[in-house]
Amino acid sequence: MSRRNNLLLVDSDFRRRAAISHCLSGSGLHVEPFEDTSELFNRWPRDGLLLVHDSGTSIADLLQHMGQTGDWLPIIAFAEEPSPRRIVEAVLHGAVDYMVWPFDERQLIESMDVAEERAKSVAGAKLREAVARSRVERLTKREREVLAGVAGGLSNRLIGEKLNISPRTVEIHRANMLNKMGATHTSEAIRIAIEASLVG
């Protein structure tokens, strides 16, 4: 199995970035350190594996960027003493593995191998979900409510009754929703909503 040799390290802590880079100096991996996600976005690579310190919104920001651009790279998240809930949330949001810092070269190489294997199966689905979420995020609150009604099989009249607006207003929101989502018909909008996990 071939492994990516380009490791993109995103961590705001200079000492930790230096320690990780030093830990991997004899591994044959090329480590590119980035202070934050915005620095990475300005020099987005063609290939690589992301090693991201799980702080703030870093993972969510990366997934949103990948959803908008369509350039998917696997993410390994890491943190010091993360809670089980934090690990689960990171994986559910799109990280393919999670490590506890400090770790050594062997542990990271093993995690990279696991990430490569998982990335093959989840990358397509996660990318579709990220793209779909970015499309749904363009909608206003009311347009999302109309989308949920449409996805639930409700007519314009029933959606209007549920939202206390006229069927004509529902039609206008529906047309705006399709336009913003780049959908040519309602069934495509429903598919996007399902991929974005807006509806089950």
Side-chain angles (χ1 to χ4, degrees), residues 17-81:
R17 282 199 316 268
I20 293 170
S21 297
H22 178 72
C23 154
L24 294 171
S25 59
S27 67
L29 291 169
H30 173 68
V31 180
E32 277 190 70
F34 296 90
E35 191 171 336
D36 55 32
T37 52
S38 60
E39 185 184 357
L40 174 62
F41 296 157
N42 290 331
R43 295 190 294 142
W44 192 260
R46 287 187 191 172
D47 192 34
L49 197 146
L50 293 160
L51 179 62
V52 183
H53 186 256
D54 184 14
S55 59
T57 61
S58 54
I59 293 174
D61 293 345
L62 282 165
L63 287 166
Q64 182 178 15
H65 176 81
M66 291 191 286
Q68 289 169 343
T69 62
D71 293 327
W72 174 264
L73 296 176
I75 299 171
I76 297 174
F78 73 96
E80 310 77 12
E81 301 177 8

Side-chain angles (χ1 to χ4, degrees), residues 5-24:
N5 289 322
N6 196 22
L7 185 69
L8 310 156
L9 172 60
V10 182
D11 188 347
S12 60
D13 186 281
F14 172 77
R15 285 192 173 95
R16 203 169 37 229
R17 282 199 316 268
I20 293 170
S21 297
H22 178 72
C23 154
L24 294 171

Side-chain angles (χ1 to χ4, degrees), residues 125-136:
K126 287 293 181 186
L127 181 57
R128 282 194 305 276
E129 182 180 337
V131 169
R133 280 178 192 257
S134 73
R135 287 184 178 186
V136 170

Side-chain angles (χ1 to χ4, degrees), residues 70-184:
D71 293 327
W72 174 264
L73 296 176
I75 299 171
I76 297 174
F78 73 96
E80 310 77 12
E81 301 177 8
S83 67
R85 181 184 188 98
R86 186 168 188 162
I87 295 170
V88 168
E89 284 177 1
V91 171
L92 286 174
H93 283 105
V96 291
D97 203 4
Y98 204 109
M99 299 186 70
V100 177
W101 175 257
F103 45 77
D104 60 27
E105 177 186 337
R106 179 190 56 79
Q107 291 169 311
L108 182 56
I109 297 292
E110 284 175 7
S111 182
M112 290 177 70
D113 288 340
V114 167
E116 286 291 351
E117 204 51 48
R118 288 185 186 155
K120 290 174 188 170
S121 60
V122 302
K126 287 293 181 186
L127 181 57
R128 282 194 305 276
E129 182 180 337
V131 169
R133 280 178 192 257
S134 73
R135 287 184 178 186
V136 170
E137 283 168 7
R138 298 173 192 164
L139 305 178
T140 64
K141 181 176 182 278
R142 182 63 87 195
E143 288 162 354
R144 286 185 203 197
E145 291 170 340
V146 169
L147 175 58
V150 168
L154 301 179
S155 67
N156 286 351
R157 184 181 60 77
L158 289 174
I159 293 170
E161 286 175 11
K162 188 175 177 184
L163 301 177
N164 292 319
I165 56 177
S166 72
R168 176 69 187 129
T169 304
V170 172
E171 280 179 36
I172 293 167
H173 285 307
R174 198 167 171 159
N176 290 340
M177 171 197 78
L178 291 173
N179 186 41
K180 286 182 182 179
M181 293 176 78
T184 52

